[in-house]
Amino acid sequence: MVSGKYSALSGALTRELAMSNLSSNLANVNTTGFKKDRIGFASMLQGAKQMRATNGINYARTRIIATDFSQGGMQTTGRPLDVAIDGPGFFKVRKGDEIFYTRAGQLHLDSNGIVQTDNGLTVLGAGNAPLQIDLSQGKDIVIAETGEISVNGQQSGGALQVFAIPEQGRLVKVGHALYKLEAGEDQPMADTRVVQGHLETANVNMVEEMTQMIASQRAFEAHTKVIQAYSKISEKETELGTIG
């Protein structure tokens, strides 16, 4: 009987974790370049592993928490320094000595023409040099699909570089649609399209997330009722005592 109670408890805990993850996804539905997380669950059901690891109790456990890097939608803004990546890859940005990666392309220029993200990080181009746009010839900025930047029809000498991360599983979220690469190296990409005047929306489908939220909530309530039922049975056993 106790084993059933612990199985229900583990199930409730995994559903609670799922609801927390879904809540985070929904909270970022309007965050530019946000990528949703997905949780995989597994049961320890049978064989020597179950007997050895859980003493025969069928626990539910979290198998993996991974970021879904699938493409988000394209939102037209018409703003020259809004850019979206159509395909894989990331923009590379720097804050102090730290390097981050992002797909949020709401860019700005500082007083020296240095390209920065919406939260003030410096955008890096080829050779990890800060990307700078010379506005001395005018202010009509055009960013080609290759990332090449021109001002009033003249090449500015810079290009918005997109970088590939061969092992995306090593990217860790640090907030604000930024990722830190824990290990490994990036690679410059040449076959990904940069779209000017657009931003990539979060790849979160609100209807899908809400449906999963409701299902997780119901599963959590079901597990909770099972736990309560086992508690009542335990109380009755205590009242009756034991025979022998």
Side-chain angles (χ1 to χ4, degrees):
M1 183 180 67
V2 175
S3 66
K5 185 175 182 178
Y6 285 131
S7 293
L9 177 59
S10 69
L13 290 173
T14 55
R15 290 304 101 196
E16 185 176 34
L17 180 60
M19 287 189 290
S20 176
N21 179 70
L22 291 165
S23 296
S24 176
N25 289 342
L26 286 169
N28 286 281
V29 68
N30 293 319
T31 301
T32 301
F34 177 81
K35 299 301 177 185
K36 62 188 176 184
D37 285 332
R38 282 287 177 247
I39 299 179
F41 296 103
S43 295
M44 303 186 74
L45 287 170
Q46 62 185 353
K49 182 178 181 180
Q50 182 191 11
M51 296 305 297
R52 180 178 65 254
T54 67
N55 295 322
I57 302 173
N58 179 28
Y59 288 117
R61 64 185 178 89
T62 305
R63 182 172 60 87
I64 188 172
I65 302 177
T67 301
D68 178 356
F69 287 103
S70 61
Q71 181 82 40
M74 290 284 182
Q75 176 185 7
T76 302
T77 67
R79 182 173 171 273
L81 285 174
D82 282 347
V83 287
I85 299 174
D86 183 15
F90 300 84
F91 299 123
K92 191 173 183 178
V93 298
R94 186 178 68 198
K95 181 179 182 180
D97 294 330
E98 292 189 285
I99 298 295
F100 301 95
Y101 299 86
T102 186
R103 287 178 66 92
Q106 193 170 16
L107 307 180
H108 301 270
L109 299 180
D110 71 3
S111 58
N112 297 315
I114 301 295
V115 182
Q116 297 183 332
T117 64
D118 194 37
N119 49 357
L121 279 67
T122 300
V123 178
L124 303 181
N128 290 336
L131 184 60
Q132 187 172 22
I133 298 178
D134 182 5
L135 296 181
S136 62
Q137 301 299 318
K139 296 184 178 180
D140 183 15
I141 301 172
V142 175
I143 302 175
E145 292 185 354
T146 58
E148 293 291 334
I149 301 172
S150 60
V151 180
N152 280 47
Q154 301 295 319
Q155 292 293 322
S156 71
L160 189 59
Q161 181 69 60
V162 178
F163 294 86
I165 308 295
E167 297 181 81
Q168 290 187 347
R170 296 184 180 274
L171 287 171
V172 177
K173 284 185 175 181
V174 295
H176 304 288
L178 295 171
Y179 300 88
K180 182 81 173 177
L181 184 59
E182 290 293 288
E185 297 181 353
D186 57 60
Q187 298 176 358
M189 296 186 68
D191 56 353
T192 293
R193 193 166 69 104
V194 175
V195 185
Q196 186 181 24
H198 292 71
L199 292 174
E200 183 184 10
T201 61
N203 65 346
V204 177
N205 184 311
M206 184 175 290
V207 174
E208 178 185 342
E209 299 295 308
M210 287 299 299
T211 300
Q212 292 187 35
M213 176 72 81
I214 293 169
S216 293
Q217 178 66 36
R218 289 176 177 171
F220 177 81
E221 292 173 353
H223 286 302
T224 301
K225 289 179 180 178
V226 171
I227 295 170
Q228 292 171 346
Y230 273 113
S231 295
K232 289 180 180 179
I233 294 172
S234 296
E235 290 174 4
K236 293 299 181 182
E237 283 184 339
T238 303
E239 292 175 7
L240 293 171
T242 57
I243 299 175

